[in-house]
Amino acid sequence: MKSLWSESEAKNYVSRYGDKGIAPDLALRVYTTRLLGGDPALVLHGGGNTSVKTRAKDLLGDEVDVICVKGSGWDMGDIEPPGLPAVKLAPLRRLLALDKLSDEDMVNYQRINLLDSAAPNPSVETLLHAFLPHKFVDHTHSTAVLALTDQPEGDAIARDTFGARMAYVPYTIPGFALAKSVAEIYAANPKVQGLILLRHGIFTFAESPREAYELMIEMVTLAEEKLKRGKKTLVHANLRARLASVANIAPVLRGASALVNDKKDGVAKRQILCFRSNEKTLSYANGAEVARYSQQGVAPPDHTIRTKNWPLVVPAPEAD
Amino acid sequence: MNGVKKELDPLPRVILVPGIGLFGLGASAKDAAIAADIAENTVEVITDAERMSSYRPISEEDQFDVEYWSLEQAKLGKAAEKRLARQVAVVTGGGSGIGAATAKAMAREGAEVAVLDRDLEAARAVAKQIGGHALGLACDVTKEDDVRRAFDAVCEKFGGVDIVVSNAGAAWQGRIGEVDEKTLRESFELNFFAHQTVAQNGVRIMKAQGTGGCLLFNTSKQAINPGKDFGPYGLPKAATLFLVKQYALDHGKDGIRSNAVNADRIRTGLLTNEMVATRAKARGISETDYMSGNLLGREVTADDVADAFVFLALARKSTAAVVTVDGGNIEASLR
């Protein structure tokens, strides 16, 4: 994976957003967030998040330490400054002293410490960002990192790939417990440049936006290179010689995946379909073991809200 | 994870079809595309993991906790769905006039829309105005192959069809005792047989889906109340009005409804300003009186007709019905 950082583009962001009253820290945070968000091999549709720790003035003109962190409902690929709401940093960090915290209390506490009460909810991973000392923190669901860690020996493979430059965090659902666990792991390994969240994703952090971003690219590249050593090939099943057309099977599948409510006059809860096919997809779908490997679950856990955990696998349809 | 969980719908969001590819599914074309994007991404992760050893993500229990986590569910939003959400509407003659207004009205109500027109540029322009995933397709409804190709393209894009607005039409004039056979047959091709071709394609797809559907036809007051020298237009339209009833009768058991809108005097590409002048003269009245010469005294617009099509698409217990949108004309009123 190549770094897309451009010094002139970075300056462009600083001056363009500067004209709108946005400080350089936040302008650059927007810039590299978009760089990361523009690559589907890093994040997709609302996945991932970034933050910058900076200072902001409140209504009385007092400067306060804040963390500008990705807000709910924004995509990294086209984020704007309002998509990175500022939360007071000191109160967030005091939460580290707690032993536990419910999701509801965490969300509420984050909201009451926003500088703008109308801002979107700060990411559910806000505390994780806040507990780390670095100015720029980047988090993605890199496809390559997931492919490495989503294996039976994923932990060992990751350690072998990234070594002591990264710390390794066992899977925990995002929220206070994960943030606290990360804070403890980081405290024990203060020299690391990032974190591998096993079966979830990757964090990199640094004092400058470029460094944090380029660390992400570097680590993902290491993962990609490791993956290239995988030599097994998918064994393909023997399919029927004459297959039905997409136009003929789509309505059958659409009908089968609608929910007919007999209590409500048989009204159908339908879905819209979006067809995709390419060499990779076909190789995967045609695999003799597709029924096994497709039923293990989604890769970044948050994808489950979009795709559910298991796809439906149907037999290859024969032409009439 | 505390609190009581409400069961989410069990419908699949991704379907893998060996030999064919994959489908993403969702409440809208946008959501379906997101599911497909993610599915393609998952294909990469799993393929790469399988090439090294085997794929093993977090446990089923951990996945469940994420799927049913209130903070994740909150990301999907809770806005009420629009009335025609999750449905696919095909509108023939959608490039202008009543068809364009109807395509836009269906989209406003949340349907995914395919705009079919003989004029591809016009179809695309309307689809572009609608925005989102709306589709503009070339289709001469008098050609069976064109119709089949267009419906195939709609199935490839959205997965099927739920609402068909068979709207394309054109007016031919001529005194019935003198009109040449070619004119009459041409009008029958477009104003009757094309409706049959379009409806048959709709029924074919609706039956494959097994979730019912709605056929909507643009008939004309000529089907009820013939105008002088307008036989070539009124005769096939009268046959189409009967077609509406036949579909309702033969396919009610398939959950397919068949209804018509009976509109009159709408300024469109069909009833041009020039024709308004001719028709007004035939009746010996002024153009203004001709256009608003109805019981309500108001000119009827394409948007008024579009509203009637939307109403019929929503009227779950109405079939073989005709909604008249003409500002009121007692001679053309039904029964």
Side-chain angles (χ1 to χ4, degrees):
Chain A
M1 182 168 283
K2 290 241 164 29
S3 167
L4 300 175
W5 175 276
S6 146
E7 205 60 50
S8 62
E9 191 59 10
K11 282 185 182 137
N12 220 334
Y13 267 77
V14 170
S15 73
R16 190 147 48 91
Y17 281 103
D19 292 345
K20 298 177 188 167
I22 303 293
D25 278 351
L26 187 52
L28 290 167
R29 181 66 285 178
V30 168
Y31 173 48
T32 58
T33 302
R34 288 187 185 174
L35 285 184
L36 295 167
D39 190 340
L42 292 175
V43 292
L44 274 177
H45 301 297
N49 43 63
T50 59
S51 68
V52 58
K53 298 179 185 81
T54 183
R55 290 175 73 77
K57 274 195 179 132
D58 67 14
L59 204 59
L60 299 169
D62 294 336
E63 279 221 344
V64 56
D65 284 323
V66 296
I67 180 170
C68 296
V69 60
K70 201 199 91 166
S72 173
W74 285 83
D75 272 333
M76 284 172 62
D78 57 5
I79 202 154
E80 292 287 351
L84 288 151
V87 195
K88 289 176 195 155
L89 189 56
L92 293 184
R93 283 184 164 163
R94 287 189 61 198
L95 291 177
L96 192 51
L98 297 179
D99 289 328
K100 55 182 181 182
L101 177 66
S102 73
D103 293 333
E104 290 72 19
D105 285 345
M106 179 182 79
V107 169
N108 182 55
Y109 191 79
Q110 288 173 182
R111 278 211 72 78
I112 61 177
N113 283 291
L114 283 164
L115 255 55
D116 174 0
S117 67
N121 272 339
S123 162
V124 296
E125 278 158 339
T126 295
L127 293 181
L128 196 165
H129 286 257
F131 293 166
L132 292 166
H134 310 81
K135 189 173 176 74
F136 286 88
V137 177
D138 294 9
H139 169 43
T140 71
H141 297 153
S142 155
T143 308
V145 172
L146 281 159
L148 277 189
T149 66
D150 280 7
Q151 295 183 42
E153 305 295 326
D155 188 349
I157 295 169
R159 285 171 201 270
D160 185 47
T161 309
F162 309 105
R165 295 178 69 189
M166 303 293 268
Y168 302 87
V169 183
Y171 177 78
T172 308
I173 194 167
F176 180 73
L178 174 62
K180 184 140 176 157
S181 150
V182 161
E184 283 161 7
I185 290 168
Y186 177 75
N189 304 275
K191 288 188 179 148
V192 296
Q193 296 168 298
L195 304 161
I196 298 296
L197 271 59
L198 297 162
R199 298 181 163 85
H200 170 169
I202 171 173
F203 277 79
T204 54
F205 30 71
E207 287 313 300
S208 83
R210 178 171 185 170
E211 207 185 329
Y213 167 73
E214 291 192 332
L215 272 171
M216 178 68 71
I217 303 302
E218 188 187 347
M219 294 300 161
V220 169
T221 306
L222 287 177
E224 288 172 340
E225 281 164 5
K226 185 77 164 188
L227 286 173
K228 281 186 195 145
R229 298 193 206 162
K231 297 292 181 213
K232 282 166 62 185
T233 49
L234 299 187
V235 178
H236 291 149
N238 288 322
L239 300 178
R240 299 175 191 284
R242 287 182 61 249
L243 294 166
S245 70
V246 175
N248 278 351
I249 63 166
V252 177
L253 294 174
R254 183 163 181 255
S257 55
L259 201 60
V260 177
N261 189 344
D262 290 325
K263 288 178 191 152
K264 220 178 149 194
D265 296 327
V267 171
K269 181 174 181 175
R270 302 168 168 106
Q271 299 196 87
I272 307 297
L273 271 55
C274 174
F275 177 69
R276 300 279 173 85
S277 191
N278 59 34
E279 207 180 315
K280 277 182 187 167
T281 308
L282 283 174
S283 166
Y284 178 87
N286 298 355
E289 292 191 73
V290 65
R292 173 185 60 79
Y293 57 65
S294 72
Q295 302 301 305
Q296 304 298 309
V298 295
D302 65 331
H303 282 178
T304 190
I305 59 166
R306 292 293 191 175
T307 60
K308 294 195 172 277
N309 210 23
W310 301 291
L312 173 67
V313 185
V314 302
E318 199 171 2
D320 293 335
Chain B
M1 300 298 113
N2 38 23
V4 178
K5 310 285 184 207
K6 195 175 169 229
E7 190 181 351
L8 300 169
D9 79 63
L11 306 176
R13 299 295 193 274
V14 177
I15 301 178
L16 297 170
V17 191
I20 305 287
L22 66 80
F23 291 89
L25 293 84
S28 62
K30 186 181 167 215
D31 283 355
I34 289 174
D37 285 347
I38 290 175
E40 286 187 321
N41 185 265
T42 308
V43 163
E44 300 225 3
V45 173
I46 297 179
T47 302
D48 283 345
E50 288 283 322
R51 282 173 64 86
M52 279 186 78
S53 62
S54 61
Y55 176 63
R56 186 177 302 164
I58 62 173
S59 69
E60 186 178 340
E61 289 73 22
D62 283 337
Q63 283 289 0
F64 177 86
D65 286 345
V66 174
E67 187 174 2
Y68 280 81
W69 189 23
S70 59
L71 301 187
E72 284 294 345
Q73 291 298 322
K75 289 183 187 172
L76 293 176
K78 292 188 179 70
E81 285 188 349
K82 291 183 178 173
R83 298 188 295 175
L84 292 177
R86 299 173 177 269
Q87 300 205 48
V88 179
V90 173
V91 183
T92 70
S96 63
I98 292 170
T102 303
K104 289 173 189 171
M106 295 280 177
R108 275 197 299 275
E109 294 293 343
E112 303 296 341
V113 174
V115 181
L116 276 50
D117 202 285
R118 201 169 47 165
D119 178 351
L120 176 61
E121 290 313 308
R124 284 186 174 157
V126 172
K128 200 176 166 194
Q129 285 166 27
I130 291 170
H133 287 258
L135 198 58
L137 296 168
C139 181
D140 177 343
V141 288
T142 61
K143 295 193 174 113
E144 276 181 48
D145 288 352
D146 258 30
V147 176
R148 173 71 193 219
R149 235 190 331 266
F151 275 81
D152 278 357
V154 176
C155 289
E156 284 161 12
K157 169 79 181 176
F158 298 121
V161 173
D162 307 297
I163 300 163
V164 172
V165 184
S166 189
N167 163 72
W172 279 266
Q173 299 188 66
R175 192 161 298 168
I176 199 63
E178 298 153 12
V179 70
D180 58 280
E181 187 180 320
K182 185 169 163 286
T183 301
L184 198 57
R185 286 189 185 276
E186 260 179 19
S187 183
F188 262 90
E189 280 300 328
L190 178 60
N191 292 318
F192 174 73
F193 285 106
H195 286 292
Q196 163 64 354
T197 309
V198 166
Q200 253 187 358
N201 271 276
V203 166
R204 172 176 58 80
I205 295 163
M206 289 167 190
K207 286 189 72 173
Q209 292 171 154
T211 50
C214 179
L215 302 174
L216 297 168
F217 298 83
N218 190 352
T219 57
S220 162
K221 82 121 210 174
Q222 297 295 329
I224 310 286
N225 174 6
K228 202 185 273 182
D229 298 344
F230 230 9
Y233 182 59
L235 287 162
K237 283 289 190 182
T240 297
L241 187 65
F242 227 86
L243 189 70
V244 174
K245 295 187 179 206
Q246 201 65 50
Y247 270 101
L249 185 59
D250 290 355
H251 292 285
K253 66 174 168 37
D254 301 316
I256 298 170
R257 298 183 292 112
S258 172
N259 295 302
V261 171
N262 192 358
D264 190 26
R265 279 179 233 179
I266 321 291
R267 281 185 210 268
T268 63
L270 195 152
L271 183 61
T272 57
N273 290 335
E274 194 180 310
M275 273 187 79
V276 169
T278 315
R279 297 309 305 159
K281 197 177 167 196
R283 287 173 190 244
I285 53 177
S286 77
E287 287 179 37
T288 310
D289 284 348
Y290 179 74
M291 289 311 290
S292 53
N294 53 47
L295 299 176
L296 296 172
R298 304 259 180 217
E299 180 172 342
V300 185
T301 69
D303 287 331
D304 296 320
V305 185
D307 286 346
F309 278 122
V310 168
F311 164 74
L312 287 169
L314 290 165
R316 293 208 310 264
K317 301 290 175 67
S318 293
T319 190
V322 180
V323 170
T324 304
V325 186
D326 63 358
N329 172 359
I330 212 68
E331 289 77 18
S333 64
L334 286 159
R335 291 180 201 162

